[in-house]
Amino acid sequence: MDILLGMRILPLLFVLAAAPAIGTPICPAPLHAGASDLGLASFREDDRVSGAAIDVLRELARRTNCPLNISWYPRARLWAEYATGRINLTASSARSAERDRFGQFVPFVTTRFDLVLSRRVPGNFTSLAEFVEHGSARLNLVRGILYTSEVLGQVERLRQQGRVEVVNDFDIAFRKMASKRAEATLAPMTIYSRHLQNTGLQDLVSVMPVTESAPVLAGAYLSRDGLAPAARKVFADALLGMVADGSVARIYGKYVGEANGRALVPDHGRAIISAYQLLP
């Protein structure tokens, strides 16, 4: 990080970390959050929605004194509901121009996609380009998930070879791998770690970081239609306060281990907060 930029950010970090819980009634109604299958970030078990990103939202609701309702959707359906204004809030989402039309992005974590490949398929790849050129496996992708332009370029090459299948969620992708009906997918650590354990695939797949998938910001989207600007500011400040005081790293650490939790919120949150300050 640039030293002068860091000097500007540090006072903000101290202010956010020290901010008290907010007691003013800013909620037009209970917050309606949307969730979908994102591994340890959000999952459904015994009809209860849980996960690291869900715990972040619950802590946000606690700090802002806002009741919170959480509804479960397939990933693509979640964004359709969000676009119609029926969802106030989503979490663990990557930023896109389309999503910016309907909401305000507030990052609180980082993420990256790895190639998860069945060991039944030969090959060891350091890039998706190598996978395209020298591999033979078909890649299962999930509807509603955003990938970098570099990843999408290689995915298009795979489509031309007839090596792409699209499924509704990660649970389907990994169950297909467990039943030997699929060979590969792209997923972040927070997602594949849960599904590999649930399907018994830990020793049957290889996880390969690929150069086309650099770390990107992920976080919450606050609805422009469902939340007034003043309310969005309160929620954004509270979320960034959780980044600054280490709460987000600790929450994720409960699910992925302390070291991984800290890695997902690099530089004690400074990089995430500085990125938010530079958003248009």
Side-chain angles (χ1 to χ4, degrees):
M1 182 189 298
D2 179 87
I3 293 176
L4 292 177
L5 179 59
M7 291 175 66
R8 291 194 296 270
I9 293 166
L10 282 174
L12 175 61
L13 287 168
F14 294 137
V15 169
L16 291 172
I22 301 158
T24 54
I26 59 166
C27 308
L31 283 173
H32 185 195
S36 60
D37 171 31
L38 291 174
L40 293 173
S42 60
F43 58 89
R44 188 168 54 175
E45 195 169 64
D46 298 328
D47 294 326
R48 174 177 169 81
V49 180
S50 304
I54 302 305
D55 286 356
V56 169
L57 292 189
R58 290 191 169 115
E59 175 62 12
L60 172 67
R62 186 193 70 80
R63 293 191 184 198
T64 56
N65 282 344
C66 287
L68 178 67
N69 295 329
I70 301 173
S71 298
W72 187 263
Y73 303 96
R75 192 64 178 171
R77 170 72 184 283
L78 181 149
W79 291 109
E81 294 288 306
Y82 171 75
T84 63
R86 287 192 283 266
I87 294 175
N88 302 124
L89 181 64
T90 71
S92 201
S93 304
R95 188 182 182 212
S96 75
E98 177 66 18
R99 294 171 182 178
D100 282 353
R101 290 175 54 204
F102 303 103
Q104 175 183 343
F105 178 64
V106 183
F108 58 74
V109 73
T110 62
T111 187
R112 61 163 293 152
F113 286 83
D114 296 325
L115 175 65
V116 183
L117 181 65
S118 170
R119 290 184 176 169
R120 294 183 292 111
V121 179
N124 185 29
F125 309 104
T126 60
S127 70
L128 285 176
E130 288 183 359
F131 178 68
V132 173
E133 293 164 9
H134 305 297
S136 59
R138 297 168 66 86
L139 187 66
N140 276 234
L141 298 178
V142 175
R143 289 185 179 89
I145 298 295
L146 295 181
Y147 305 97
T148 65
S149 59
E150 292 81 4
V151 168
L152 291 176
Q154 299 304 325
V155 167
E156 182 55 34
R157 295 177 65 196
L158 287 170
R159 288 187 196 280
Q160 294 172 8
Q161 297 178 17
R163 292 170 56 194
V164 173
E165 295 181 5
V166 180
V167 297
N168 284 336
D169 56 43
F170 283 103
D171 182 57
I172 294 173
F174 283 96
R175 282 194 284 110
K176 286 179 66 178
M177 291 184 73
S179 61
K180 299 182 181 180
R181 294 182 294 117
E183 300 160 322
T185 191
L186 290 172
M189 177 267 295
T190 52
I191 291 177
Y192 64 69
S193 55
R194 172 174 168 79
H195 286 291
L196 294 184
Q197 180 178 2
N198 286 352
T199 55
L201 283 169
Q202 298 100 316
D203 298 326
L204 301 177
V205 301
S206 299
V207 176
M208 305 172 190
V210 287
T211 56
E212 293 89 350
S213 182
V216 297
L217 295 173
Y221 261 102
L222 309 175
S223 171
R224 297 188 191 279
D225 288 339
L227 297 169
R232 294 201 307 271
K233 184 180 188 310
V234 169
F235 293 134
D237 288 348
L239 278 170
L240 295 173
M242 293 166 60
V243 173
D245 68 16
S247 295
V248 172
R250 287 192 294 272
I251 288 171
Y252 272 79
K254 293 177 182 178
Y255 291 88
V256 300
E258 291 184 8
N260 285 329
R262 291 192 298 270
L264 292 172
V265 188
D267 195 25
H268 302 286
R270 295 182 182 90
I272 292 173
I273 292 172
S274 66
Y276 175 77
Q277 290 179 308
L278 296 174
L279 292 178

